[in-house]
Amino acid sequence: MREAWARWRTQCFGTYYPVTLALITIAGLLCSGVLALHLRAGEQQAWEQDIRLDVVQYQLATEQALRTVIDDLRDMARFLETLDYPDQAKFAHFASESLSEVFSASWMARVGTEERAAYELRQRMDNPGFHLYDSPAGCRPAAPDYGYVVTYQVTRPGFPNLIGLDIRCSAERLRTMAVAERSGQVLATPLLSLYNSTHPGMVLYAPVWRKNAEHVPGRSAGLRGFIGAALNVDEVIAAQLRRVPEAGRYRIQQLDVSDGKATMLYSSKTAIGHQRVPWQHSVPMQFAGRSLMLQVVPGEVLWTSRNSLMPLAVFLAGAVATGLLLLLLHSQVVSRRHAEILAIVRSDDLVDRENRLAALFTHASLGIMRCNMRNQVLEANEAAAQMLGCRPNALRGRDFLALFTPWSEAMLRQHWQEPVWRELQLNSLSGEVIPVMVRGISLRLPSGEPYSWFLLDDLREVRHAERLKMQFISTVSHELRTPLTAIKGAIELLRVPEIDAEERDALLTMAGNNAGQLHRLIDNLLDMEQLAQGALSLHPRQQPLQALLNRALALAEPLAALKSLKLCLTVPDKPLEAVVDAERLLQVMSNLLSNAIKFSPEGADILVTASRDRDGTAIISVRDYGEGIPAAFRTRLFQAFAQADGGDDRRRGGTGLGLAISRSLIERMGGRIGLDVVVTQGASFSIHLPAVAEKA
Amino acid sequence: MALEKILFVDDEPDIRMLVSMTLQRLGGFQVRVEASGRAALAALNDGYAPDLVLLDVMMPEMDGVQTLQAMRQLPGMGDTPICFLTAKVQPTEVARWQGLGVCRILSKPFSPATLIGQLQESWRQCRMNQMS
């Protein structure tokens, strides 16, 4: 589970990092957007609720009022039917006089100031309960001949008071309603106005329903019939509500109904405007020969405002928070990646690998060089530098091709683009031409830049060994041929009848000796091969050396006698014991003695001494007074085939293997053999054998 | 003129004995054997005038080539055929020796009978070359 999480996380912040960032950004913005919208919707809901509230109230009020009014109007209508009104003034008078018990009506008439004063006076005189509610102060007539609104109220016990008003200027309407509301007695209501269409200034009836007033059936009865025929209350209400554009979107400031059309003043969140809404429920009526227009004017919706900046603020805050989160996340991811990379780079594994590779590069026995595409050396290891005779740093920046001889350079240029694998020649700084096997490979850096690796295998040793081998083979074949020549020649000559007995004898001896020489040579070669392979088996045994040395000298005696050489042996009295393979020690002694004999002049001495060192080491030395060994040859004395190298140092009768074999044998026995340095003439060889515990 | 006196130089005593016996007993020549190039040059300086010189190549101190070159310097030795008798025959060396004026290169081991014939032939060829 954890691994799955870790893997997912690695993928998210690794491969899919851009996608993850994009998703988080979108999510953050979405969340804050949704939140903002939610807030707005809440506002809207509250706002809607207000409207609805208003609408509901309005609706209720409308419905109730309407019904009441309609009832009243019907009652009035019926009552009015019974009357005869030749003109409006009379009607009014009649209404006020005749219907005063039933309702109060208001009307607006075009009256002059004086007429109004006179009317007021008369009314007061006639009706002690008469209150003239003047239009609110400040209402100015819309037109010069507008006149005043006259409102009066008749109070009768048991009857609700109806105050009707109608004001033409919309601002006043607001104010009036405010006044009315503040009084606490009146609810702003839809006004149901009965206009006389032929006399537009005439309002016959505009009810204001008093809050919490009860409906009085008696009063309304008179109006009921009047309206009923022309008006469908539900229709009116529905129409009103329908005409109002969606309450949720608009605030209705005012709905004016005039001239058969309703004007709605509305505002939405983003706009304030007028909209002419066709009003189909300005209903013309005919009543008693008069044309009347019934209009329904909805009430005001009180304005509420809400602060619309909050949702925006929330959204911006959300976006900023998302941005900060992303920034934090990004820096986290970056720093974690950074840390991971650092960890990898510094990790023990990597450091160790680097160190190993660096060590390999520096100390490899093969020369290694790296070049860029412009043939410049970028780096070289120790071995390469050594070949060229300088420091690795000195090679940096040099032209790689210039390090080679002209012919090699030409070859390289020809094959620069291909992997190189051929034998070429380096020009070392000392001027020496070095044969090298060059292997070149082209690679590319991750950035695309090409570079090349060159491996340089120094062939000098190999060539030298090859040369030595060839020389050895040719020398060996020569050495083999010489005794073979003698043997074959002897055999042929022996057939010749002219050869006498003495000569025959001499030939046979010669053949025998040469056969022996051949034998020895072949044995030497075989020994050398076995020693090289490690297949030679020794049989070391602890034994006194005196006896062996005596035997060695005895064996060499005949050869020494040929040159009248004197072999002298000096040994200690006590048995000088050592762990040796007798036969092989004899072989070594024979080699040393034969060399001594070979290079001694006639009649010289050869001294063989055996002794024991202070720490118990047994030492055997062979001293001759012959030619000695040239200084240049001393270092190569014990090397196999060293004799075969060069002409001047050739020693007759041997292959150059004798000393090499001797050294191998002595070393196998745990000892060492070497040339003693301090001799004035001739040579002195010493064998050191490890100390053994003295036998009791 | 006939081939009569031969100077043979070789550091191996057995070979010396073999060749001298062969040339003397079988070939009937007068053979003088020397053990080294130096000794041979001394003999020539002493006045020994062979008809043909047979040299071993692989000798210590002064090898066959050096001996040949030294002999050629001597008065009266410019025309004498000089042959090599050697166990070590390398094609590169052969070319060089012939460039130095070696008459013939004979290889070891040799058959005594053929040796005589080869020497006769060499003597005739080289003398003819010189005459022409």
Side-chain angles (χ1 to χ4, degrees):
Chain A
M1 197 58 206
R2 285 190 82 136
E3 291 106 35
W5 163 248
R7 244 184 292 123
W8 178 84
R9 202 182 55 197
T10 319
Q11 273 197 318
C12 266
F13 296 125
T15 338
Y16 304 137
Y17 187 47
V19 175
T20 314
L21 276 191
L23 284 175
I24 291 176
T25 313
I26 291 169
L29 289 177
L30 265 179
C31 281
S32 46
V34 163
L35 188 60
L37 283 173
H38 183 73
L39 279 177
R40 195 167 177 287
E43 267 180 39
Q44 207 148 328
Q45 216 172 21
W47 181 55
E48 274 179 19
Q49 260 187 332
D50 284 346
I51 290 189
R52 227 174 285 123
L53 200 60
D54 288 345
V55 166
V56 164
Q57 287 173 346
Y58 161 78
Q59 196 173 1
L60 281 173
T62 310
E63 198 169 333
Q64 286 175 5
L66 272 174
R67 287 194 195 282
T68 313
V69 164
I70 286 158
D71 290 345
D72 286 349
L73 277 175
R74 283 199 188 109
D75 291 343
M76 180 176 140
R78 269 190 224 109
F79 181 76
L80 286 173
E81 272 167 5
T82 63
L83 302 176
D84 177 32
Y85 329 102
D87 61 333
Q88 287 156 8
K90 276 190 182 165
F91 164 74
H93 184 73
F94 257 93
S96 65
E97 282 190 348
S98 311
L99 303 176
S100 59
E101 300 98 55
V102 182
F103 64 93
S104 63
S106 70
W107 47 273
M108 195 181 81
R110 288 186 186 175
V111 292
T113 322
E114 298 80 13
E115 281 174 297
R116 181 187 162 172
Y119 178 74
E120 276 180 15
L121 202 61
R122 197 171 64 210
Q123 291 303 319
R124 278 217 181 91
M125 283 166 46
D126 293 344
N127 297 293
F130 173 75
H131 294 281
L132 181 66
Y133 287 87
D134 207 343
S135 61
C139 177
R140 280 169 288 284
D145 57 349
Y146 187 69
Y148 292 94
V149 172
V150 177
T151 316
Y152 69 92
Q153 178 187 1
V154 175
T155 314
R156 284 282 183 271
F159 291 103
N161 291 324
L162 295 174
I163 302 170
L165 49 85
D166 180 30
I167 299 170
R168 285 287 176 172
C169 43
S170 56
E172 293 312 316
R173 178 170 304 184
L174 268 172
R175 218 175 301 155
T176 313
M177 288 171 69
V179 166
E181 269 206 354
R182 275 199 293 272
S183 71
Q185 297 179 323
V186 179
L187 183 70
T189 74
L191 302 175
L192 205 66
S193 310
L194 201 61
Y195 289 89
N196 185 337
S197 61
T198 56
H199 293 89
M202 181 72 162
V203 176
L204 294 176
Y205 181 81
V208 171
W209 183 249
R210 202 173 75 177
K211 241 190 211 176
N212 303 321
E214 290 169 17
H215 171 69
V216 178
R219 180 177 54 78
S220 59
L223 288 169
R224 216 165 280 140
F226 178 72
I227 300 296
L231 198 62
N232 184 331
V233 177
D234 294 324
E235 236 184 79
V236 169
I237 291 167
Q240 275 181 46
L241 290 178
R242 255 205 310 277
R243 288 305 163 202
V244 171
E246 290 157 37
R249 293 214 323 239
Y250 297 96
R251 297 188 188 283
I252 301 143
Q253 279 191 308
Q254 194 170 337
L255 190 64
D256 273 335
V257 181
S258 60
D259 302 329
K261 293 229 197 269
T263 305
M264 181 179 72
L265 189 66
Y266 68 90
S267 68
S268 69
K269 291 275 192 204
T270 56
I272 296 176
H274 271 98
Q275 187 175 345
R276 299 284 292 182
V277 177
W279 183 257
Q280 290 172 2
H281 286 269
S282 305
V283 183
M285 299 174 6
Q286 291 291 324
F287 173 68
R290 302 280 192 273
S291 303
L292 302 172
M293 187 68 76
L294 182 64
Q295 286 183 331
V296 180
V297 180
E300 297 253 0
V301 173
L302 289 178
W303 179 262
T304 57
S305 68
R306 284 254 189 269
N307 189 358
S308 64
L309 286 180
M310 172 80 108
L312 185 66
V314 165
F315 178 71
L316 284 177
V320 167
T322 308
L324 284 174
L325 176 67
L326 287 175
L327 215 63
L328 187 71
L329 206 65
H330 183 72
S331 72
Q332 279 284 314
V333 167
V334 164
S335 69
R336 184 177 323 124
R337 273 201 208 157
H338 201 58
E340 273 172 16
I341 289 170
L342 270 179
I344 289 172
V345 166
R346 289 192 193 140
S347 74
D348 283 345
D349 273 351
L350 205 68
V351 168
D352 177 51
R353 198 162 74 127
E354 274 198 39
N355 288 341
R356 275 189 285 129
L357 288 175
L360 257 181
F361 179 77
T362 311
H363 301 296
S365 58
L366 218 54
I368 307 176
M369 293 171 89
R370 186 163 69 96
C371 302
N372 64 9
M373 53 193 247
R374 289 181 291 281
N375 306 343
Q376 287 170 323
V377 176
L378 295 172
E379 53 183 328
N381 72 347
E382 288 283 344
Q386 218 173 39
M387 268 185 238
L388 291 158
C390 60
R391 301 292 312 140
N393 288 333
L395 285 171
R396 220 167 278 182
R398 290 176 75 137
D399 185 357
F400 178 69
L401 295 176
L403 297 170
F404 290 84
T405 59
W407 171 82
S408 302
E409 188 183 332
M411 292 299 293
L412 272 176
R413 279 199 200 282
Q414 210 178 348
H415 298 281
W416 187 244
Q417 295 309 316
E418 306 156 14
V420 177
W421 196 359
R422 54 181 63 245
E423 186 180 333
L424 298 169
Q425 291 173 333
L426 275 179
N427 250 336
S428 83
L429 288 182
S430 60
E432 188 187 344
V433 171
I434 302 169
V436 282
M437 183 59 89
V438 178
R439 183 101 193 249
I441 318 158
S442 288
L443 296 168
R444 279 188 189 278
L445 285 174
S447 60
E449 190 189 321
Y451 67 101
S452 306
W453 283 105
F454 290 98
L455 305 176
L456 306 168
D457 198 354
D458 194 342
L459 293 174
R460 282 178 291 186
E461 289 284 327
V462 166
R463 295 273 177 267
H464 185 66
E466 280 170 6
R467 264 199 307 274
L468 287 181
K469 195 174 82 166
M470 286 314 300
Q471 281 176 356
F472 170 71
I473 287 172
S474 76
T475 307
V476 164
S477 67
H478 175 270
E479 296 294 337
L480 287 173
R481 274 181 225 239
T482 304
L484 215 48
T485 308
I487 294 165
K488 280 188 68 174
I491 290 169
E492 279 212 30
L493 276 178
L494 282 168
R495 291 180 192 275
V496 171
E498 287 87 336
I499 304 293
D500 61 33
E502 199 187 315
E503 286 167 330
R504 214 177 292 273
D505 241 355
L507 283 172
L508 284 169
T509 311
M510 185 184 80
N513 286 341
N514 277 283
Q517 168 73 355
L518 215 49
H519 192 185
R520 269 193 303 282
L521 179 61
I522 289 167
D523 278 347
N524 269 356
L525 287 171
L526 286 173
D527 276 350
M528 204 62 222
E529 184 58 30
Q530 281 193 325
L531 279 168
Q533 301 250 0
L536 197 81
S537 56
L538 292 179
H539 308 286
R541 221 169 26 86
Q542 184 165 333
Q543 53 195 296
L545 293 174
Q546 282 90 339
L548 288 173
L549 290 174
N550 277 314
R551 256 182 74 196
L553 261 71
L555 285 169
E557 196 56 59
L559 204 59
L562 287 177
K563 285 168 90 168
S564 313
L565 301 170
K566 182 151 164 259
L567 300 172
C568 310
L569 178 63
T570 314
V571 290
D573 298 325
K574 277 189 6 185
L576 181 60
E577 303 237 330
V579 179
V580 293
D581 180 319
E583 200 187 310
R584 294 298 177 177
L585 185 64
L586 278 177
Q587 186 179 349
V588 172
M589 288 308 299
S590 156
N591 174 242
L592 291 176
L593 286 169
S594 68
N595 283 343
I597 290 166
K598 217 182 292 181
F599 297 110
S600 287
E602 298 253 352
D605 285 345
I606 296 174
L607 306 176
V608 180
T609 45
S611 59
R612 184 179 289 285
D613 205 347
R614 227 173 313 148
D615 52 8
T617 312
I619 305 174
I620 305 168
S621 65
V622 177
R623 174 87 160 87
D624 71 73
Y625 295 90
E627 299 167 18
I629 296 169
F633 191 57
R634 280 188 201 145
T635 48
R636 293 184 294 144
L637 204 53
F638 286 91
Q639 282 176 18
F641 318 133
Q643 193 194 88
D645 184 36
D648 285 350
D649 298 325
R650 180 182 163 273
R651 296 296 185 256
R652 185 173 44 82
T655 57
L657 291 175
L659 282 173
I661 292 172
S662 298
R663 170 164 273 181
S664 293
L665 286 171
I666 295 296
E667 282 174 359
R668 286 280 307 267
M669 288 188 236
R672 58 183 174 87
I673 181 172
L675 177 69
D676 296 340
V677 183
V678 201
V679 282
T680 43
Q681 174 165 15
S684 171
F685 288 81
S686 292
I687 302 168
H688 290 65
L689 293 165
V692 295
E694 300 241 30
K695 277 194 184 153
Chain B
M1 286 202 69
L3 177 61
E4 286 178 2
K5 290 188 281 188
I6 300 176
L7 173 61
F8 176 60
V9 186
D10 196 319
D11 57 328
E12 295 269 354
D14 291 343
I15 304 295
R16 282 203 297 273
M17 184 181 87
L18 197 63
V19 170
S20 70
M21 199 182 287
T22 304
L23 294 178
Q24 282 175 341
R25 303 303 256 123
L26 288 184
F29 303 113
Q30 290 176 34
V31 181
R32 178 156 178 179
V33 280
E34 295 295 340
S36 69
R38 217 179 293 280
L41 286 168
L44 290 171
N45 279 329
D46 275 346
Y48 185 71
D51 299 321
L52 183 138
V53 179
L54 185 60
L55 296 174
D56 177 31
V57 175
M58 290 292 288
M59 293 190 283
E61 289 180 8
M62 201 172 168
D63 70 2
V65 178
Q66 288 167 331
T67 312
L68 177 146
Q69 286 169 325
M71 278 183 180
R72 287 284 183 226
Q73 305 296 327
L74 295 176
M77 286 303 295
D79 296 337
T80 313
I82 300 179
C83 300
F84 279 163
L85 180 67
T86 181
K88 197 171 173 185
V89 179
Q90 280 178 327
T92 48
E93 294 290 303
V94 166
R96 189 165 76 95
W97 296 338
Q98 284 174 341
L100 293 169
V102 167
C103 181
R104 196 181 184 123
I105 297 155
L106 304 162
S107 61
K108 284 193 244 184
F110 60 87
S111 163
T114 54
L115 180 66
I116 294 160
Q118 282 173 332
L119 287 177
Q120 295 270 25
E121 214 176 294
S122 311
W123 187 77
R124 272 199 298 276
Q125 274 182 343
C126 293
R127 294 294 288 193
M128 278 173 68
N129 286 343
Q130 279 156 18
M131 281 178 188
S132 63

mmCIF file of all heavy atoms in Angstrom, chain A residues 333-352:
data_model
loop_
_atom_site.group_PDB
_atom_site.id
_atom_site.type_symbol
_atom_site.label_atom_id
_atom_site.label_comp_id
_atom_site.label_asym_id
_atom_site.label_seq_id
_atom_site.Cartn_x
_atom_site.Cartn_y
_atom_site.Cartn_z
ATOM 1 N N VAL A 333 8.412 20.122 -4.248
ATOM 2 C CA VAL A 333 8.794 19.082 -5.203
ATOM 3 C C VAL A 333 10.192 19.340 -5.730
ATOM 4 O O VAL A 333 11.019 18.451 -5.809
ATOM 5 C CB VAL A 333 7.796 19.039 -6.379
ATOM 6 C CG1 VAL A 333 8.341 18.203 -7.524
ATOM 7 C CG2 VAL A 333 6.468 18.475 -5.905
ATOM 8 N N VAL A 334 10.423 20.611 -6.076
ATOM 9 C CA VAL A 334 11.738 20.959 -6.624
ATOM 10 C C VAL A 334 12.825 20.670 -5.599
ATOM 11 O O VAL A 334 13.845 20.072 -5.914
ATOM 12 C CB VAL A 334 11.777 22.441 -7.031
ATOM 13 C CG1 VAL A 334 13.208 22.900 -7.212
ATOM 14 C CG2 VAL A 334 11.006 22.646 -8.314
ATOM 15 N N SER A 335 12.569 21.099 -4.346
ATOM 16 C CA SER A 335 13.619 20.896 -3.348
ATOM 17 C C SER A 335 13.789 19.430 -3.030
ATOM 18 O O SER A 335 14.884 18.958 -2.782
ATOM 19 C CB SER A 335 13.315 21.679 -2.084
ATOM 20 O OG SER A 335 12.216 21.121 -1.422
ATOM 21 N N ARG A 336 12.669 18.666 -3.114
ATOM 22 C CA ARG A 336 12.816 17.232 -2.845
ATOM 23 C C ARG A 336 13.598 16.569 -3.966
ATOM 24 O O ARG A 336 14.470 15.742 -3.735
ATOM 25 C CB ARG A 336 11.465 16.553 -2.691
ATOM 26 C CG ARG A 336 11.689 15.094 -2.313
ATOM 27 C CD ARG A 336 10.476 14.244 -2.033
ATOM 28 N NE ARG A 336 9.447 14.970 -1.366
ATOM 29 C CZ ARG A 336 8.220 15.058 -1.846
ATOM 30 N NH1 ARG A 336 7.903 14.497 -2.976
ATOM 31 N NH2 ARG A 336 7.293 15.723 -1.178
ATOM 32 N N ARG A 337 13.266 16.980 -5.191
ATOM 33 C CA ARG A 337 13.990 16.413 -6.319
ATOM 34 C C ARG A 337 15.457 16.767 -6.213
ATOM 35 O O ARG A 337 16.336 15.951 -6.468
ATOM 36 C CB ARG A 337 13.451 17.000 -7.626
ATOM 37 C CG ARG A 337 12.276 16.227 -8.150
ATOM 38 C CD ARG A 337 12.125 16.490 -9.613
ATOM 39 N NE ARG A 337 10.739 16.329 -9.992
ATOM 40 C CZ ARG A 337 10.172 16.885 -11.053
ATOM 41 N NH1 ARG A 337 10.890 17.659 -11.819
ATOM 42 N NH2 ARG A 337 8.934 16.679 -11.329
ATOM 43 N N HIS A 338 15.677 18.024 -5.852
ATOM 44 C CA HIS A 338 17.041 18.499 -5.678
ATOM 45 C C HIS A 338 17.779 17.641 -4.663
ATOM 46 O O HIS A 338 18.881 17.176 -4.879
ATOM 47 C CB HIS A 338 16.977 19.953 -5.196
ATOM 48 C CG HIS A 338 18.224 20.707 -5.438
ATOM 49 N ND1 HIS A 338 18.770 20.864 -6.682
ATOM 50 C CD2 HIS A 338 19.046 21.335 -4.582
ATOM 51 C CE1 HIS A 338 19.865 21.557 -6.579
ATOM 52 N NE2 HIS A 338 20.072 21.880 -5.315
ATOM 53 N N ALA A 339 17.081 17.416 -3.528
ATOM 54 C CA ALA A 339 17.694 16.615 -2.460
ATOM 55 C C ALA A 339 17.944 15.200 -2.938
ATOM 56 O O ALA A 339 18.975 14.602 -2.643
ATOM 57 C CB ALA A 339 16.801 16.618 -1.230
ATOM 58 N N GLU A 340 16.956 14.669 -3.693
ATOM 59 C CA GLU A 340 17.124 13.304 -4.192
ATOM 60 C C GLU A 340 18.344 13.211 -5.089
ATOM 61 O O GLU A 340 19.137 12.288 -4.989
ATOM 62 C CB GLU A 340 15.887 12.881 -4.989
ATOM 63 C CG GLU A 340 14.796 12.281 -4.128
ATOM 64 C CD GLU A 340 13.534 12.061 -4.931
ATOM 65 O OE1 GLU A 340 13.605 12.084 -6.174
ATOM 66 O OE2 GLU A 340 12.498 11.890 -4.305
ATOM 67 N N ILE A 341 18.435 14.204 -5.989
ATOM 68 C CA ILE A 341 19.566 14.195 -6.923
ATOM 69 C C ILE A 341 20.879 14.321 -6.160
ATOM 70 O O ILE A 341 21.832 13.597 -6.425
ATOM 71 C CB ILE A 341 19.437 15.328 -7.953
ATOM 72 C CG1 ILE A 341 18.295 15.000 -8.916
ATOM 73 C CG2 ILE A 341 20.718 15.518 -8.725
ATOM 74 C CD1 ILE A 341 17.928 16.143 -9.815
ATOM 75 N N LEU A 342 20.868 15.246 -5.191
ATOM 76 C CA LEU A 342 22.072 15.403 -4.391
ATOM 77 C C LEU A 342 22.420 14.106 -3.682
ATOM 78 O O LEU A 342 23.576 13.702 -3.619
ATOM 79 C CB LEU A 342 21.859 16.489 -3.342
ATOM 80 C CG LEU A 342 22.235 17.907 -3.784
ATOM 81 C CD1 LEU A 342 21.959 18.880 -2.657
ATOM 82 C CD2 LEU A 342 23.689 17.993 -4.183
ATOM 83 N N ALA A 343 21.369 13.468 -3.151
ATOM 84 C CA ALA A 343 21.603 12.216 -2.428
ATOM 85 C C ALA A 343 22.212 11.180 -3.359
ATOM 86 O O ALA A 343 23.132 10.471 -3.003
ATOM 87 C CB ALA A 343 20.300 11.702 -1.836
ATOM 88 N N ILE A 344 21.641 11.143 -4.559
ATOM 89 C CA ILE A 344 22.169 10.170 -5.511
ATOM 90 C C ILE A 344 23.610 10.494 -5.848
ATOM 91 O O ILE A 344 24.467 9.629 -5.884
ATOM 92 C CB ILE A 344 21.308 10.139 -6.797
ATOM 93 C CG1 ILE A 344 19.954 9.497 -6.507
ATOM 94 C CG2 ILE A 344 22.015 9.372 -7.894
ATOM 95 C CD1 ILE A 344 18.995 9.607 -7.654
ATOM 96 N N VAL A 345 23.811 11.806 -6.140
ATOM 97 C CA VAL A 345 25.157 12.197 -6.541
ATOM 98 C C VAL A 345 26.153 11.946 -5.421
ATOM 99 O O VAL A 345 27.277 11.531 -5.661
ATOM 100 C CB VAL A 345 25.172 13.681 -6.944
ATOM 101 C CG1 VAL A 345 26.588 14.202 -7.022
ATOM 102 C CG2 VAL A 345 24.480 13.878 -8.274
ATOM 103 N N ARG A 346 25.696 12.209 -4.183
ATOM 104 C CA ARG A 346 26.634 12.029 -3.082
ATOM 105 C C ARG A 346 26.587 10.628 -2.520
ATOM 106 O O ARG A 346 27.327 10.316 -1.604
ATOM 107 C CB ARG A 346 26.268 13.009 -1.964
ATOM 108 C CG ARG A 346 26.604 14.419 -2.358
ATOM 109 C CD ARG A 346 26.523 15.300 -1.151
ATOM 110 N NE ARG A 346 26.540 16.681 -1.564
ATOM 111 C CZ ARG A 346 25.802 17.625 -1.032
ATOM 112 N NH1 ARG A 346 24.978 17.333 -0.071
ATOM 113 N NH2 ARG A 346 25.876 18.867 -1.468
ATOM 114 N N SER A 347 25.674 9.815 -3.020
ATOM 115 C CA SER A 347 25.494 8.504 -2.399
ATOM 116 C C SER A 347 26.794 7.726 -2.458
ATOM 117 O O SER A 347 27.583 7.884 -3.380
ATOM 118 C CB SER A 347 24.388 7.742 -3.096
ATOM 119 O OG SER A 347 24.858 7.291 -4.348
ATOM 120 N N ASP A 348 26.927 6.899 -1.501
ATOM 121 C CA ASP A 348 28.156 6.114 -1.423
ATOM 122 C C ASP A 348 28.374 5.314 -2.690
ATOM 123 O O ASP A 348 29.479 5.219 -3.199
ATOM 124 C CB ASP A 348 28.081 5.152 -0.232
ATOM 125 C CG ASP A 348 28.323 5.905 1.063
ATOM 126 O OD1 ASP A 348 28.820 7.045 0.968
ATOM 127 O OD2 ASP A 348 28.017 5.374 2.146
ATOM 128 N N ASP A 349 27.277 4.742 -3.165
ATOM 129 C CA ASP A 349 27.398 3.926 -4.382
ATOM 130 C C ASP A 349 28.013 4.718 -5.511
ATOM 131 O O ASP A 349 28.955 4.285 -6.157
ATOM 132 C CB ASP A 349 26.017 3.447 -4.827
ATOM 133 C CG ASP A 349 25.653 2.158 -4.120
ATOM 134 O OD1 ASP A 349 26.546 1.615 -3.456
ATOM 135 O OD2 ASP A 349 24.504 1.727 -4.235
ATOM 136 N N LEU A 350 27.428 5.893 -5.729
ATOM 137 C CA LEU A 350 27.873 6.693 -6.869
ATOM 138 C C LEU A 350 29.300 7.159 -6.675
ATOM 139 O O LEU A 350 30.123 7.111 -7.596
ATOM 140 C CB LEU A 350 26.947 7.889 -7.040
ATOM 141 C CG LEU A 350 26.915 8.421 -8.470
ATOM 142 C CD1 LEU A 350 26.261 7.419 -9.379
ATOM 143 C CD2 LEU A 350 26.153 9.726 -8.509
ATOM 144 N N VAL A 351 29.573 7.641 -5.453
ATOM 145 C CA VAL A 351 30.927 8.132 -5.175
ATOM 146 C C VAL A 351 31.928 6.991 -5.338
ATOM 147 O O VAL A 351 32.988 7.146 -5.933
ATOM 148 C CB VAL A 351 31.011 8.704 -3.753
ATOM 149 C CG1 VAL A 351 32.455 8.939 -3.360
ATOM 150 C CG2 VAL A 351 30.225 9.994 -3.666
ATOM 151 N N ASP A 352 31.506 5.840 -4.809
ATOM 152 C CA ASP A 352 32.392 4.678 -4.902
ATOM 153 C C ASP A 352 32.640 4.316 -6.357
ATOM 154 O O ASP A 352 33.771 4.052 -6.770
ATOM 155 C CB ASP A 352 31.755 3.488 -4.161
ATOM 156 C CG ASP A 352 32.615 2.253 -4.288
ATOM 157 O OD1 ASP A 352 33.814 2.352 -4.005
ATOM 158 O OD2 ASP A 352 32.089 1.205 -4.699
#
